[in-house]
């Protein structure tokens, strides 16, 4: 049951489109993907 | 026995691990508006004053003899105001409520089903929040303002909660995030109660498909990095008691069950608020994965304990209305009656049947007396 | 048109069938008297819906749909009903009391009361005491219905009844309260004449008052 949307960028896709170097992937993920998730959480808060 | 945060946390951990705790844990929930009124501040002003939220959290922590801070924030007025909310509106008395509103017309099912999250941004949000119903540029600006406000305000709330738990030796907050049953999501904020009641007759296949389409989104909302048995996913249930069982079976149950199973598979533990009377559906609830916490509003405590209390954590069923008008002794007698039925064998946390939102809902002195009583009486 | 079948189809909430029957009926150019009978048959169907609700076979969602169905049915019949207002059995003022924004229960009661032949003046949600007083003065109803879902609505209902008393209007009306939190005790405390958590029962109580 995977969540997919045109408006949601999962990390795997972000990695590909933003030239994330594998060496720094962890730290980049923690400091970018977090905000995608926060927008998702906020959006859901607005409709609950 | 001197109790501190650790021993109080242990009560809940024991429950979550299926052990019998030292005593019945006491978990009172109050909307922050109740605490504001208790503190004697004007609701219509205090709900704007984020700085004062901290004082309210402290009052919640020290005043009510609950093992967990009762102060619960659900509706944040500054954020709703920035957005021009139509779905959460402050009443004349200052209570924020949810008027019936339609975010989605019946002709939009296919579009919503194709991509619920996109549809939410494109269509639902501008309908529910009028300040988002504007040019893309202005919309982005309003969204950014509201997002920042929400993030800042909740950041302050959570940090202060932790601080107060430490200061007053309380157990950790038990709710980590929230989600909603797929059918309730489609009904409450998208199609409205009235809309969905017609749709299940006029376009039943679309309703089923819509529930299925939103399920991954609802699952994602309910799983967070910190999700655990002690940091639960709160799910307020709504529509089932208003449906016929055959409709429930077809529209409500399959995706709701899938959601709950999905939560457990992903390391999240649900805390259901079983609103209204679910007596007709107790056997269904018993099918859910073991250890799901269920806060019941109505029903026969004996029947509920018997049918779901062996497998699940039962809470609730203490009538808040009694606390509003009963004498202290009547309130304590009722607590004894409920604890005698629900506590044996464990799997029980003492809560009221609903969240106190307005000071008229419950006399604070009665809350304190009942909570103190349960802590003493509910020793195993 | 088979009126019994119409009543039964409304009772079973068979929307397509009801609308088909009524459309055919209207196309046959019926007299006002025949149209009146069709309206009555629909109203009887609504009474059956109420009975099934009381028996626990229908639930609130079904009542809401029944209200929608009835509105549709009356809309189809409107061109042939004519203007003769013969079926009004009484007048009800209805509103959700101050502090409460809920209106689903109120709307169900409204559609069922209208189906039973009442003229209903719905003043909306979160209504102050004065709004009830003003409308009661204006339309002089038989009945005042107050609705609310939150526990705090009970106090607002009491304020409203007290307001009607002070305005000298209390004795000219019957007062019924409805909604999740109402109980016998609450009814006594508020000073209402009756209470219900069941819209169909509320309509029956109202009918009893205007007999």
């Amino acid at each position: 049951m995977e969540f997919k949307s045109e408006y949601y960028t999962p990390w795997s896709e972000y990695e590909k489109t933003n030239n994330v170097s594998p060496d720094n992937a962890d730290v980049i993920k923690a400091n970018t993907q977090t905000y995608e998730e926060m927008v998702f959480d906020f959006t859901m808060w607005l409709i609950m | 026995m001197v109790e501190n945060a650790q021993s109080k946390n242990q009560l809940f951990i024991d429950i979550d691990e299926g052990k019998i705790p030292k005593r019945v844990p006491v978990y009172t929930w109050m909307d922050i508006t109740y605490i504001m009124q208790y503190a004697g501040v004007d609701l219509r002003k205090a709900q704007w004053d984020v700085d004062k939220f901290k004082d309210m959290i402290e009052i919640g922590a020290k005043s009510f003899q609950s093992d967990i801070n009762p102060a619960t924030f659900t509706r944040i007025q500054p954020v709703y105001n920035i957005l021009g909310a139509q779905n959460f509106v402050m009443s004349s008395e200052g209570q924020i409520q949810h008027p019936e509103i339609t975010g989605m017309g019946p002709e939009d099912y296919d579009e919503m089903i194709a991509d619920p999250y996109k549809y939410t941004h494109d269509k639902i949000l501008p309908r529910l929040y009028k300040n988002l119903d504007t040019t893309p540029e202005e919309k982005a600006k309003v969204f950014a303002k509201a997002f920042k406000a929400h993030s800042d305000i909740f950041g302050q709330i959570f940090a202060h909660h932790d601080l107060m738990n430490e200061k007053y030796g309380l157990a950790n907050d038990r709710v980590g995030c929230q989600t909603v049953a797929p059918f309730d999501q489609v009904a409450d904020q998208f199609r409205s109660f009235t809309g969905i009641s017609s749709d299940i007759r006029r376009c039943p296949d679309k309703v089923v498909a819509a529930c299925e389409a939103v399920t991954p989104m609802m699952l994602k909302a309910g799983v967070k990095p910190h999700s655990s048995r002690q940091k639960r996913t709160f799910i307020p249930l709504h529509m089932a008691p208003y449906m016929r069982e055959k409709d429930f079976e077809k529209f409500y149950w399959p995706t709701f069950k899938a959601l709950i199973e999905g939560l457990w598979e992903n390391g999240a533990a649900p805390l259901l608020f079983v609103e209204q009377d679910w007596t007709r559906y107790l056997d269904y609830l018993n099918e859910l994965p073991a250890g799901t916490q269920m806060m019941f509003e109505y029903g026969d405590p004996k029947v509920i304990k018997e049918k779901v209390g062996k497998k699940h954590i039962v809470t609730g069923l203490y009538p808040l209305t009694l606390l509003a008008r009963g004498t202290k002794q009547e309130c304590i007698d009722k607590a004894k009656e409920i604890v005698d039925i629900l506590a044996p064998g464990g799997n029980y946390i003492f809560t009221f049947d609903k969240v106190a939102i307005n000071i008229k809902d419950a006399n604070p002195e009665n809350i304190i007396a009942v909570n103190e009583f349960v802590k003493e009486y509910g020793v195993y | 048109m088979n009126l019994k079948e119409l009543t039964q189809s409304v009772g079973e909430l068979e929307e397509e069938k009801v609308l088909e029957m009524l459309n055919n009926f209207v196309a046959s150019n019926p007299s006002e008297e025949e149209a009146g009978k069709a309206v009555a048959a629909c109203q009887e169907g609504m009474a059956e819906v109420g009975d099934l609700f009381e028996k626990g076979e229908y639930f609130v969602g079904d009542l809401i749909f029944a209200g929608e169905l009835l509105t549709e049915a009356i809309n189809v019949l409107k061109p042939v009903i004519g203007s003769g207002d013969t079926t009004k059995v009484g007048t009800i003022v209805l509103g959700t009391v101050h502090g409460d924004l809920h209106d689903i229960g109120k709307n169900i009661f409204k559609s069922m009361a209208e189906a039973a032949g009442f003229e209903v003046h719905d003043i909306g949600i979160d209504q102050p005491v004065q709004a009830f007083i003003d409308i009661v003065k204006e339309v002089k109803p038989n009945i005042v219905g107050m609705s609310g879902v939150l526990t705090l609505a009970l106090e607002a209902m009491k304020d409203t009844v007290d307001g009607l008393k002070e305005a000298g209007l209390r004795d000219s009306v019957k007062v019924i309260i409805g909604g999740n939190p109402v109980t016998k005790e609450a009814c006594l405390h508020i000073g209402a004449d009756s209470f219900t958590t069941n819209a169909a029962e509320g309509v029956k109580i109202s009918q009893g008052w205007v007999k």
Side-chain angles (χ1 to χ4, degrees):
Chain A
M1 210 190 308
E2 201 196 338
F3 172 71
K4 282 188 196 141
S5 170
E6 194 184 316
Y7 286 1
Y8 173 78
T9 310
W11 173 243
S12 56
E13 199 182 312
Y14 188 92
E15 247 181 330
K16 268 184 238 156
T17 48
N18 291 282
N19 299 320
V20 174
S21 88
D23 294 345
N24 297 328
D26 278 6
V27 65
I28 295 174
K29 183 179 178 185
N31 289 285
T32 57
Q33 190 62 23
T34 311
Y35 298 99
E36 183 78 41
E37 302 305 327
M38 282 174 76
V39 169
F40 175 85
D41 290 347
F42 177 58
T43 305
M44 295 307 290
W45 184 78
L46 291 177
I47 56 167
M48 280 183 194
Chain B
M1 182 180 70
V2 180
E3 290 192 326
N4 54 26
Q6 199 192 343
S7 64
K8 286 178 187 165
N9 272 322
Q10 193 59 44
L11 299 172
F12 292 94
I13 293 169
D14 285 343
I15 297 268
D16 288 330
E17 291 178 349
K19 295 179 200 153
I20 293 190
K22 286 210 168 90
R23 66 162 168 85
V24 172
V26 172
Y27 183 10
T28 300
W29 282 31
M30 293 166 177
D31 192 275
I32 197 66
T33 49
Y34 183 91
I35 296 171
M36 286 170 177
Q37 290 174 314
Y38 175 78
V41 297
D42 182 355
L43 274 191
R44 282 163 298 189
K45 187 171 178 190
Q47 287 185 92
W48 296 96
D49 195 349
V50 176
D51 216 34
K52 294 261 169 59
F53 286 4
K54 291 180 182 167
D55 300 342
M56 300 302 126
I57 294 169
E58 177 150 17
I59 290 167
K62 70 181 179 189
S63 305
F64 301 103
Q65 290 292 324
S66 170
D67 290 321
I68 291 178
N69 190 342
T72 308
F73 291 81
T74 43
R75 305 292 169 215
I76 304 292
Q77 185 61 11
V79 181
Y80 291 137
N81 196 253
I82 289 168
L83 292 162
Q86 316 280 297
N87 54 339
F88 298 109
V89 180
M90 200 187 269
S91 75
S92 54
E93 300 209 338
Q95 213 90 52
I96 298 173
Q97 296 171 46
H98 174 48
E100 164 141 293
I101 186 158
T102 306
M104 169 184 157
E107 66 286 352
D108 279 3
Y109 267 104
D110 290 336
E111 188 184 348
M112 193 278 271
I113 289 163
D115 189 337
Y117 188 62
K118 180 173 189 286
Y119 180 80
T120 296
H121 278 276
D122 288 347
K123 299 286 171 66
I124 302 264
L125 294 183
R127 285 178 190 146
L128 301 186
Y129 300 95
K130 69 175 189 300
N131 297 348
L132 294 174
D133 187 12
T134 175
T135 61
E137 295 78 9
E138 181 65 19
K139 183 181 177 185
K141 194 193 86 180
V142 171
F143 192 86
K145 259 167 80 175
F147 174 80
K148 174 72 171 141
H150 175 266
S151 165
D152 286 355
I153 293 169
F154 271 104
Q156 290 190 43
I157 290 170
F158 290 141
H160 207 68
H161 254 280
D162 290 345
L163 212 62
M164 289 302 109
N165 288 348
E166 213 170 294
K167 183 170 173 185
Y168 293 98
L170 298 179
N172 299 326
D173 289 335
R174 196 164 165 79
V175 172
C177 64
Q178 177 173 334
T179 190
V180 166
F183 183 85
D184 286 334
Q185 186 63 41
V186 175
D188 283 341
Q189 300 275 343
F190 292 4
R191 286 292 294 125
S192 81
F193 200 147
T194 307
I196 201 79
S197 300
S198 302
D199 294 349
I200 62 173
R201 291 194 149 83
R202 289 178 185 156
C203 51
D205 298 345
K206 300 244 188 238
V207 177
V208 169
C211 293
E212 287 168 356
V214 302
T215 302
M217 182 167 89
M218 305 325 293
L219 177 59
K220 181 173 171 59
V223 179
K224 295 289 157 254
H226 61 275
S227 289
S228 74
R229 282 171 188 258
Q230 281 83 49
K231 268 276 183 271
R232 291 196 171 233
T233 301
F234 177 58
I235 311 179
L237 306 179
H238 187 215
M239 293 292 295
Y242 307 109
M243 301 166 77
R244 293 182 296 178
E245 187 171 344
K246 71 174 188 184
D247 293 331
F248 170 82
E249 227 173 24
K250 178 171 178 184
F251 298 105
Y252 197 101
W253 180 248
T255 47
F256 173 56
K257 189 177 182 211
L259 172 70
I260 300 297
E261 288 172 348
L263 290 172
W264 279 106
E265 282 160 18
N266 286 281
L271 192 174
L272 311 179
F273 176 42
V274 187
E275 193 183 296
Q276 258 292 334
D277 189 345
W278 278 60
T279 303
R280 290 185 285 145
Y281 303 127
L282 291 176
D283 290 332
Y284 292 88
L285 291 177
N286 202 44
E287 278 178 38
L288 299 175
T292 297
Q293 183 173 330
M294 302 176 185
M295 175 175 167
F296 286 93
E297 186 173 8
Y298 297 117
D300 180 340
K302 279 188 194 129
V303 175
I304 289 171
K305 179 76 175 171
E306 175 66 27
K307 286 208 169 175
V308 300
K310 297 185 185 91
K311 189 171 171 186
H312 299 298
I313 301 163
V314 170
T315 80
L317 295 167
Y318 185 102
L320 198 66
T321 46
L322 180 63
L323 297 172
R325 276 186 293 277
T327 64
K328 199 177 276 189
Q329 195 54 47
E330 282 167 348
C331 293
I332 287 173
D333 291 346
K334 187 74 186 175
K336 182 173 180 302
E337 177 194 323
I338 300 263
V339 169
D340 282 344
I341 296 167
L342 295 176
N347 264 352
Y348 175 59
I349 296 168
F350 181 81
T351 73
F352 304 125
D353 61 351
K354 43 183 152 302
V355 178
I357 57 174
N358 188 289
I359 198 75
K360 291 170 189 163
D361 288 347
N363 176 350
E365 286 170 24
N366 283 341
I367 292 182
I368 295 164
V370 164
N371 283 353
E372 279 175 346
F373 168 78
V374 173
K375 283 179 171 177
E376 279 174 28
Y377 182 73
V379 174
Y380 283 101
Chain C
M1 186 171 59
N2 184 333
L3 292 173
K4 274 205 175 126
E5 200 182 335
L6 178 62
T7 296
Q8 191 186 346
S9 300
V10 171
E12 288 168 1
L13 301 175
E14 297 280 356
E15 183 182 35
E16 269 178 48
K17 195 166 171 194
V18 169
L19 296 181
E20 194 195 321
M21 285 178 84
L22 292 178
N23 279 318
N24 290 340
F25 172 69
V26 170
S28 72
N29 246 334
S31 69
E32 274 188 28
E33 195 195 340
E34 286 171 315
K37 282 181 182 164
V39 172
C42 290
Q43 290 173 341
E44 271 174 51
M46 281 299 275
E48 276 185 24
V49 170
D51 287 345
L52 289 168
F53 178 77
E54 280 180 27
K55 282 185 199 151
E57 287 178 38
Y58 279 164
F59 294 88
V60 172
D62 307 295
L63 294 189
I64 291 176
F65 182 68
E68 296 265 296
L69 176 60
L70 191 81
T71 308
E72 282 184 305
I74 300 298
N75 281 340
V76 173
L77 289 171
K78 245 178 207 155
V80 294
I81 293 173
S83 52
D85 188 359
T86 51
T87 52
K88 185 175 134 184
V89 299
T91 305
I92 299 177
V93 157
L94 184 63
T96 303
V97 290
H98 66 87
D100 201 317
L101 302 180
H102 295 84
D103 64 358
I104 290 170
K106 170 177 73 59
N107 293 346
I108 295 172
F109 176 77
K110 182 185 175 185
S111 58
M112 299 191 80
E114 284 177 341
F118 283 96
E119 180 183 314
V120 181
H121 296 265
D122 179 359
I123 60 171
I125 57 175
D126 197 5
Q127 289 296 320
V129 175
Q130 194 59 43
F132 278 91
I133 292 172
D134 292 345
I135 185 88
V136 168
K137 278 185 186 160
E138 188 191 325
V139 305
K140 301 185 175 56
N142 311 87
I143 295 162
V144 174
M146 296 188 290
S147 173
V149 165
L150 303 175
T151 314
L152 67 89
L154 298 176
E155 285 306 313
M157 288 173 178
K158 182 164 170 45
D159 294 346
T160 310
V161 171
D162 291 347
L164 289 172
K165 268 184 205 157
E166 278 164 32
L169 299 166
R170 177 65 186 86
D171 295 336
S172 66
V173 293
K174 290 282 189 184
V175 174
I176 183 165
I177 55 174
N180 210 22
V182 306
T183 57
K184 194 175 161 195
E185 292 75 42
C187 183
L188 285 171
H189 173 70
I190 289 162
D193 295 299
S194 192
F195 73 100
T196 183
T197 53
N198 171 341
E201 184 188 77
V203 172
K204 278 191 187 161
I205 294 167
S206 302
Q207 285 169 323
W209 283 336
V210 294
K211 253 179 197 162

